[in-house]
Structures are given as C-alpha cells and as structure tokens.
C-alpha cells in the first residue's frame, strides 16, 4: 500500500510540474520584459548614458511588452517620451547646480542641443498620450486576461503616472533648455584676452666710450690741386657716394616697407598685422556680397578668426536673405559681438523656421538681440509671436525694442493693429518711436494705414518728409494714390518736389482720375443704369485704364452733358471684399485727369493737370514759377 501511495504522489508531482511549465510558456508568449536604458529613448544620447545626467543611471529599468502590436507601439513611444522628459529635467537641474559652483557645463550644453530639437514635439504630444493611455487601459480586458492583463495594466499605469507628473512642468523644462542654449554665459570663453603684466625694461649696462681718433686719410697728389703749405694741419677726406638703387618700382616699394617695419616695435607690428587682417576680411565680405555668394559668406561667418569680420559677414547674409542655418549656428556657438549681428540677419530673413531662436532672443540680456528678435517674430507672422509683441515688446523700457516691435507688428498685416500704430504715432514723445510708427504703417500697407500717414503730413509738419519717404517706399498702387492725393492738397514746394521724386522712382507713369463729385458709384459698364461695383466719394484717386469709344448724353443736375466714360481702377470700398482694387466706369465730367509722364532726361518728369492746364516739373518746381512769370510778362 505504501509503495502504491508513493507512486501515486510521484505521478501527481509530474502532472503538476507539466502544468506549471505550460503555464510559464503561456505567460512568456503573452508578455515579456526587456532591459531599458537611455539609448532606447534616442541613440543620440549614447555619450550621456551612465553619466551623472543619465536619469536611469544605477537603476534596473525594464519595459514590459506583450504580443499585441497596438499596445507595444504605444508603450515604447510613451516610454521614450517620458525618458526624454526625465533626461531634460535632469540636465537642467545639473546645469543649475554646476553653474552655482562655477563648474563647466559642457556635457549639459551638448545634451541641450539634442533636447532643443526633440522637446517641442514631445511636449505637444503629452495630452494625446494621456488620452490614448486611458483608452488602452479601458480596452485591455478585451485583449488580455490573468497575469498578462496585470503586467500590461501595470505598465500603462506607470506610464500614465509619469505623464501626469510631467504634464504641468513640461513647458517649463522646454523653456529652461532653450534658455540654457541661448545664454551666452554658458559657452566657454576661449577667446578672452589675457592681460599680461608689463615687463620691466632690461637694465642697460653703461659702457665706457673710448674716443678714437679717426685716421687721417691723405689724398693722392693727383686729387689735390692747389694746396698751400702753411702751418695749419689739413685733413682731407674722400666723400663716400650713396649707392644708386636700381630695380622695379615694386622692388623699391617692398624695400621701403621693409625698412619701415624694421623701425616698428613688436606691439606695433602686431597691431598692423591685425588691421591688415581686418581689412582683408571686410574686403572679402563686400566682394562676396556684391557677387551674391552666400556660401562664401557662411564660411567667413563660421571660420574667420576676427569677430568684426564675422559680424559683417552675418549682416551681409541678412541683406542677401540667405544662410539661415549658418546664422543659427553662429548664435549657438559664437560670442557677444557676433550674436547681435546674427540675430539682426535672421530678422532680415524672417523665416518661420527661426521662430524658436526669436522666442529665445526675447529673453536675452542684450537690447539689440531682443529688438531684432521681436522684429523677426513679426516677420514669421506666427500668432504666438504677435502676442509676445503686444504684451512684452511694446511695453519695453527700451526705445530700440519698442521701435522694432512696432515694425514687427506691422508684418502681420492685421487691420486691428493699425489703431495701435496710430496711438504711438500721435501720443509718443520720443522721435524715434514716432518714426518707427510711420515705418510700421507703411509696412502694413493697408488703405487705413496710408490714410493715417496722409493726415499726419499736415498735422505733424516736422515728420512730413519722413512720412513721404515711407509712403514712397511702399510699392503698392494705394501708395501711389496717396502721393498723388497729397500732391493735389499740398502747397509746400519742398514737399511736392519730394513727391515728384518718389513718383518718378516708382515709375508711376500714366493718367490718374480724381473724383470731383461728393457721392457716386463706379459702374460695371459705360452706362448710368448698369450695376454699381463700388461706392466712390470726392477726392478719391483711380488709375485710368481706358475710355469708351462712344460718347453718351447724361443728365447732370439741370443740364444734359455729352461726353465719354472713363474706365478706372480704384481701391475697393466693399466691406469684406477679397480684392483690394476694383475696376469700373465713370462719366468723364465727374473727374479731373492727372497725368504723370517721363520726359527726355533720366531725372526729368512732368506732372500735369489736364483739366486745369497746370504743369509741374517733378524735379525742378522752380521751372513752373519761371513759366508763370514769362506768361505774366507777355500779358
């Protein structure tokens, strides 16, 4: 009996062991765990793995996966994002601790370079990851059961906990990383000038000077003609002749330079070499800008040893609207003198890809960098940039920053911003801010902005020439209409001459119609009963683009007038219209025609009022006065 009992227990043990092995194999098929380290988040973090800034250093971290692709893909993506956020948080804290102790933060700066690229996408995806995590946790019972469900749910729970922890501070971590990269104090100062203590001049030992009598050279008898013998001793020398220098002018010039250099001290020689190196570098900058060779300028910006030349190369790239990548590299790696120039060039380019640099630049300490950043933000036309300009840039205590912010605001071309610019133009006491507001209204280029500038020509005479110049820079047809409208209303010869110069520079040649009636409509056809396409009023300006072949009889008041219809292009007055201009017909007697035409010389033009017979030389208004005086004398 006892033997049978033991055999029965042995059989039961074998069965239970088989069941247990099957269960283990089943669980292994359902889920598995593998080690997780920093390089799993990004291979670029390899150099930081195992260092003090590695958040997984000394931890046995693992990621639990299942055979379900949907869940595994999410777990790996979320785990990478969470690890990257932990890494960024660690980098910022370590950098702050080392800076407080005066230690170098070379590793932290290198890590921040990678993190600055990765963090924006990760921060923006946190909410979607949280939402997806909850969805997967709710549906997990449909795909898993038993221990596998527990493992997957546990992994999702850990991830959700981390996401909830970093969601409120992710933006702050991203900003700290950007500040770490944008702060020039974090870069090693390798080019600092070391001031050495002046060395004492070596003591010169006085040596006794022994006077030696010069040997008396007695000339040959043939060289002495009439030498009288007397008691006085005669000393006769043969004078040495200066050797004649022969050779080319180039050789003589080199010889002269060599002699002068021998006289210079070592310090003077170094100064001369430095000046020559600066001169050569600036010549190269002007040369490559003239021939539009941005690649050559990029090389100068990144490699030339002298900061002044690198700054000039950066500004030249901005004028050429090229080299964005090289300019951003200069901002990251170069020093105080070059970074403002690089920011100014980035602002001139105004590429939306530089948005992160502009946002970082608004937090810099240098007012020039801040000013360029606000203007660059405006050129990107990003809503967040506009908000920064309105809330921070325009409220700055620095005039240069407020002026740049006004110009940056204008590039958004939002109608509501015209009121802000007008406020600064009328209420500001600083001349530079007023001029910036004028530039901003011209850049905005809207009909409302140009009308404000027209009004201020008379209201602020001291700024009249500045306003005319800014309107003249605007290439739009509306700006041409503004200049003609001002020319008709102004009597100052200096101002009308400047208007003529701008019309000639813009090549605004042609005929223009000035509306003479108070209220009327622009018609779709040469007929008073045709459809009205736009409302017009007195003193509005339009470009004449044609006239009707036939004449028409039209009742005007109590009279019936016969004349042609004129086809004109005018600014649209329809609210919400997608087109800035509209074309239509209007009866000729309701207009006054102005003609601007070019005469023989390159700087000679004529402005004519055809209806009144008024002629005005654009560049020499005094000619008009001469004609008047001659006409009066003849009469």
């Amino acid at each position: 009996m006892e033997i049978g009992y033991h055999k029965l227990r042995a059989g039961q043990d074998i069965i239970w062991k088989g069941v247990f092995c099957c269960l283990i194999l089943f669980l292994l098929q359902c889920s598995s765990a593998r080690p997780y380290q920093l390089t799993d988040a990004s291979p670029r973090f390899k150099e930081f793995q195992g260092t003090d800034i590695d958040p997984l250093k000394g931890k046995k971290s693992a990621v639990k996966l299942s055979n379900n692709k949907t869940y595994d893909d999410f777990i790996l993506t979320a785990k990478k994002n969470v690890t990257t956020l932990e890494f960024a948080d660690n980098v910022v804290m370590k950098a702050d601790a080392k800076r407080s102790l005066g230690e170098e933060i070379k590793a932290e700066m290198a890590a921040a370079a990678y993190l600055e690229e990765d963090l924006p996408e990760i921060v923006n995806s946190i909410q979607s990851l949280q939402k997806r995590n909850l969805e997967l946790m709710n549906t997990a019972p449909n795909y898993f059961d038993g221990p596998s469900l527990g493992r997957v749910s546990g992994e999702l729970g850990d991830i959700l906990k981390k996401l909830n922890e970093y969601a409120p501070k992710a933006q702050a971590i991203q900003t700290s990383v950007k500040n770490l990269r944008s702060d020039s104090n974090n870069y090693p100062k390798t080019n600092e000038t070391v001031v050495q203590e002046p060395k004492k001049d070596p003591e010169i030992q006085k040596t006794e000077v022994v006077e030696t009598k010069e040997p008396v050279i007695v000339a040959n008898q043939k060289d002495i003609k009439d030498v009288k013998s007397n008691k006085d001793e005669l000393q006769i020398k043969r004078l040495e002749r200066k050797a004649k220098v022969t050779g080319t002018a180039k050789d003589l010039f080199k010889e002269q330079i060599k002699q002068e250099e021998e006289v210079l001290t070592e310090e003077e020689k170094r100064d001369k070499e430095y000046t020559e190196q600066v001169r050569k570098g600036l010549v190269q900058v002007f040369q490559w800008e003239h021939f539009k060779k941005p690649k050559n300028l990029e090389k100068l910006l990144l490699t030339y040893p002298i900061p002044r030349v690198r700054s000039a190369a950066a500004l030249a790239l901005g004028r050429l609207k090229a080299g964005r990548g090289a300019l951003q590299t200069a901002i990251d790696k170069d020093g105080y003198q070059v970074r403002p120039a690089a920011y100014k060039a980035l602002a001139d380019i105004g590429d939306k890809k530089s948005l992160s640099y502009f946002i970082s630049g608004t937090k810099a300490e240098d007012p020039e960098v801040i000013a360029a950043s606000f203007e660059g933000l405006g050129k990107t036309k990003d809503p967040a940039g506009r908000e920064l300009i309105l809330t921070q840039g325009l409220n700055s205590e620095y005039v240069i920053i407020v002026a740049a912010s006004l110009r940056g605001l204008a590039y958004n071309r939002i109608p509501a911003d015209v009121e802000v610019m007008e406020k600064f133009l009328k209420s500001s006491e600083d001349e530079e801010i007023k001029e910036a507001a004028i530039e901003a209204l011209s850049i905005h280029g809207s009909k409302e902005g140009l009308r404000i500038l027209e009004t201020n020509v008379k209201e602020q005479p001291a700024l009249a020439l500045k306003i005319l110049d800014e309107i003249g820079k605007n290439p739009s047809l509306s700006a041409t209409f503004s200049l003609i409208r001002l020319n008709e209303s102004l009597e100052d010869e200096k101002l009308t001459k400047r208007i003529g110069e701008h019309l000639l520079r813009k090549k605004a040649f042609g005929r223009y119609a000035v509306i003479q009636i108070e209220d009327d409509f622009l018609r779709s056809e040469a007929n008073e009963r045709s459809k009205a396409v736009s409302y017009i009023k007195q003193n509005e300006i339009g470009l004449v683009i044609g006239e009707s072949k036939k004449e028409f009889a039209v009742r005007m008041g109590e009279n019936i007038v016969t004349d042609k219809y004129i086809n004109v292009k005018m600014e649209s007055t329809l609210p919400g219209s997608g087109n800035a201009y509209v074309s239509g017909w209007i009866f000729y007697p309701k207009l006054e025609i102005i003609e601007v035409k070019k005469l023989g010389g390159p700087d000679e033009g004529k402005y004519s009022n055809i209806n009144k017979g008024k002629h005005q030389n654009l560049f020499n208004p005094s000619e008009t006065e001469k004609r008047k005086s001659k006409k009066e004398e003849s009469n």
Side-chain angles (χ1 to χ4, degrees):
M1 288 292 292
E2 188 175 351
I3 295 172
Y5 174 75
H6 285 300
K7 287 183 178 180
L8 178 63
R9 286 294 302 269
Q12 289 176 345
D13 290 342
I14 293 171
I15 293 171
W16 280 110
K17 286 179 181 179
V19 171
F20 185 70
C21 291
C22 292
L23 181 61
I24 291 174
L25 290 172
F26 177 74
L27 292 176
L28 288 173
Q29 289 177 351
C30 291
S31 62
S32 63
R34 72 179 191 189
Y36 192 84
Q37 52 191 3
L38 186 60
T39 50
D40 291 323
S42 174
R44 298 192 299 176
F45 299 157
K46 183 177 181 180
E47 60 181 293
F48 312 111
Q49 186 167 294
T51 64
D52 291 340
I53 56 176
D54 182 0
L56 303 178
K57 181 184 178 182
K59 298 179 182 178
K60 292 183 180 181
S61 180
V63 58
K64 299 171 185 177
L65 300 175
S66 67
N67 288 333
N68 190 309
K69 188 175 185 304
T70 302
Y71 282 80
D72 289 348
D73 289 346
F74 173 80
I75 289 172
L76 287 174
T77 301
K79 190 75 173 177
K80 288 179 182 179
N81 289 9
V82 168
T83 305
T84 304
L85 285 169
E86 290 177 326
F87 182 46
D89 194 13
N90 216 18
V91 166
V92 172
M93 288 192 297
K94 292 287 184 182
D96 290 341
K98 286 185 178 181
R99 281 189 298 188
S100 63
L101 298 173
E103 298 177 2
E104 283 192 1
I105 55 173
K106 187 176 180 181
E108 287 76 5
M109 290 293 291
Y114 297 128
L115 290 169
E116 193 174 14
E117 298 177 8
D118 299 341
L119 282 178
E121 184 178 352
I122 292 173
V123 172
N124 293 334
S125 66
I126 289 179
Q127 289 185 350
S128 61
L129 289 175
Q130 289 173 310
K131 183 179 178 182
R132 182 60 177 161
N133 192 300
L134 291 171
E135 292 175 357
L136 292 176
M137 290 181 72
N138 292 332
T139 59
N142 298 333
Y143 300 98
F144 306 98
D145 57 7
S148 60
L149 176 61
R151 287 188 179 88
V152 172
S153 299
E155 187 69 25
L156 291 174
D158 292 340
I159 291 173
L160 183 60
K161 181 180 178 182
K162 286 290 185 181
L163 289 173
N164 292 338
E165 177 186 346
Y166 280 99
K169 62 180 182 179
Q171 191 66 47
I173 293 173
Q174 182 186 357
T175 304
S176 298
V177 170
K178 285 184 179 180
N179 292 341
L180 185 64
R181 292 282 296 159
S182 62
D183 190 353
S184 61
N185 293 326
N186 295 335
Y187 293 91
K189 309 296 187 295
T190 57
N191 295 328
E192 292 182 355
T193 304
V194 180
V195 180
Q196 298 181 352
E197 293 184 3
K199 295 182 180 180
K200 296 181 179 180
D201 293 330
E203 293 183 2
I204 302 175
Q205 295 180 356
K206 295 182 179 180
T207 56
E208 295 183 0
V209 179
V210 181
E211 295 184 0
T212 57
K213 294 183 179 180
E214 295 182 359
V216 178
I217 302 174
V218 181
N220 297 329
Q221 292 295 328
K222 61 180 181 180
D223 295 325
I224 304 172
K225 292 189 178 178
D226 297 323
V227 181
K228 295 182 180 180
S229 59
N230 49 36
K231 295 180 179 179
D232 298 329
E233 243 182 22
L234 293 180
Q235 183 177 357
I236 303 173
K237 292 182 180 180
R238 183 182 299 277
L239 299 178
E240 296 180 0
R241 295 181 61 185
K242 290 184 179 180
K244 293 183 179 179
V245 181
T246 57
T248 63
K250 187 176 181 181
D251 294 336
L252 293 174
F253 185 65
K254 285 183 178 179
E255 183 66 25
Q256 185 178 358
I257 293 175
K258 185 178 179 181
Q259 292 176 359
E260 290 178 357
E261 286 180 347
E262 289 176 354
V263 180
L264 298 176
T265 63
E266 288 299 323
E267 185 177 354
E268 289 173 337
K269 286 180 181 179
R270 285 194 297 269
D271 291 343
K272 188 175 181 180
E273 289 173 2
Y274 183 85
T275 304
E276 181 64 20
Q277 199 172 9
V278 170
R279 186 192 67 80
K280 286 182 179 179
L282 293 177
V283 168
Q284 290 181 53
V285 170
F286 301 144
Q287 178 184 0
W288 300 135
E289 182 181 3
H290 174 75
F291 290 109
K292 294 181 173 57
K293 300 285 187 181
K295 292 295 182 185
N296 300 57
L297 289 170
E298 289 178 21
K299 185 177 180 181
L300 288 175
L301 170 62
L302 298 177
T303 62
Y304 206 82
I306 298 177
R308 181 179 172 187
V309 177
R310 298 200 299 272
S311 300
L315 294 172
L317 284 170
R319 291 189 289 269
L320 292 179
K321 304 289 189 294
R324 177 184 60 82
L327 291 167
Q328 292 177 176
T329 301
I331 289 173
D332 290 338
K333 297 184 177 181
D334 217 317
Y336 172 79
Q337 189 172 357
V338 181
R339 293 182 77 241
Y343 263 106
K344 175 67 172 62
L346 275 188
D348 290 340
I349 297 172
D351 195 323
K352 198 165 186 176
K353 294 178 181 177
S354 302
L355 181 62
S356 61
Y357 282 84
F358 293 139
I359 293 175
S360 297
T362 60
K363 301 178 180 67
E365 297 179 359
D366 190 341
E368 291 185 8
V369 171
I370 299 173
S373 298
F374 277 115
E375 188 166 350
L377 279 176
K379 287 189 176 181
T380 63
K381 299 181 182 178
D382 186 86
R386 177 175 175 268
E387 189 66 23
L388 282 174
I389 291 172
L390 290 171
T391 56
Q392 297 181 22
L394 295 179
N395 295 319
S396 174
E397 60 182 353
Y398 293 99
V399 171
I400 185 177
I401 296 175
V402 176
S405 299
L406 281 170
R407 289 190 291 268
L409 185 65
Y411 287 106
N412 289 274
R413 292 185 171 84
I414 294 177
D417 295 338
V418 173
E419 185 178 348
V420 178
M421 301 171 205
E422 183 182 14
K423 177 184 174 183
F424 277 93
L425 175 58
K426 292 185 175 180
S427 62
S428 178
E429 297 180 357
D430 191 280
E431 195 76 11
E432 187 176 343
I433 292 180
K434 283 179 175 287
E435 291 182 357
I438 293 169
E439 293 170 9
L441 288 167
S442 176
I443 292 168
H444 194 276
S446 63
K447 180 175 65 175
E448 294 77 15
L450 292 171
R451 292 299 174 89
I452 292 171
L453 291 177
E454 288 180 44
T455 304
N456 279 272
V457 169
K458 295 180 180 178
E459 292 181 356
Q460 302 195 56
L463 297 171
L465 287 175
K466 173 67 176 177
I467 294 173
L468 291 178
D469 289 343
E470 291 303 321
I471 295 176
K473 290 178 184 178
N474 191 308
S476 67
L477 184 59
S478 295
T480 302
F481 292 164
S482 294
L483 291 173
I484 292 174
R485 203 161 29 239
L486 285 168
N487 192 75
E488 289 297 298
S489 62
L490 295 174
E491 297 180 357
D492 189 332
E493 184 178 296
K494 184 179 180 181
L495 298 181
T496 55
K497 182 176 183 294
R498 184 65 66 91
I499 291 172
E501 292 173 358
H502 285 301
L503 289 173
L504 192 60
R505 184 187 60 80
K506 288 165 66 71
K507 297 182 180 178
F509 308 125
R511 294 193 302 163
Y512 298 87
V514 183
I515 307 300
Q516 297 298 304
I517 54 176
E518 291 188 2
D519 297 293
D520 209 325
F521 292 94
L522 206 60
R523 303 285 175 178
S524 60
E525 298 177 7
N527 190 324
E528 286 294 307
R529 295 185 300 279
S530 65
K531 179 183 176 182
V533 295
S534 182
Y535 172 73
I536 55 176
K537 56 184 180 180
Q538 193 173 16
N539 294 327
E540 289 291 324
I541 306 291
L543 175 66
V544 176
I545 55 179
E547 61 181 34
S548 63
K549 296 181 179 179
K550 299 186 295 183
E551 291 187 345
F552 295 84
V554 176
R555 181 183 295 277
M556 295 182 65
E558 298 181 355
N559 302 322
I560 296 178
V561 182
T562 302
D563 212 323
K564 293 183 177 182
Y565 272 85
I566 303 297
N567 190 10
V568 296
K569 182 178 181 180
M570 303 185 70
E571 292 173 319
S572 176
T573 57
L574 293 175
S577 174
N579 297 322
Y581 305 98
V582 62
S583 299
W585 298 85
I586 189 168
F587 197 45
Y588 195 169
K590 298 179 180 180
L591 308 173
E592 190 174 85
I593 302 295
I594 303 296
E595 185 177 23
V596 178
K597 64 181 180 180
K598 187 175 182 180
L599 301 181
D603 295 335
E604 188 179 9
K606 187 168 70 174
Y607 182 100
S608 307
N609 188 316
I610 294 175
N611 297 34
K612 297 181 180 179
K614 172 186 172 185
H615 298 280
Q616 178 184 7
N617 187 294
L618 291 176
F619 269 67
N620 192 1
S622 60
E623 290 293 327
T624 307
E625 300 299 328
K626 291 180 182 177
R627 291 193 191 96
K628 286 182 181 179
S629 59
K630 286 182 181 179
K631 189 174 181 181
E632 290 173 358
E633 288 175 3
S634 61
N635 292 335

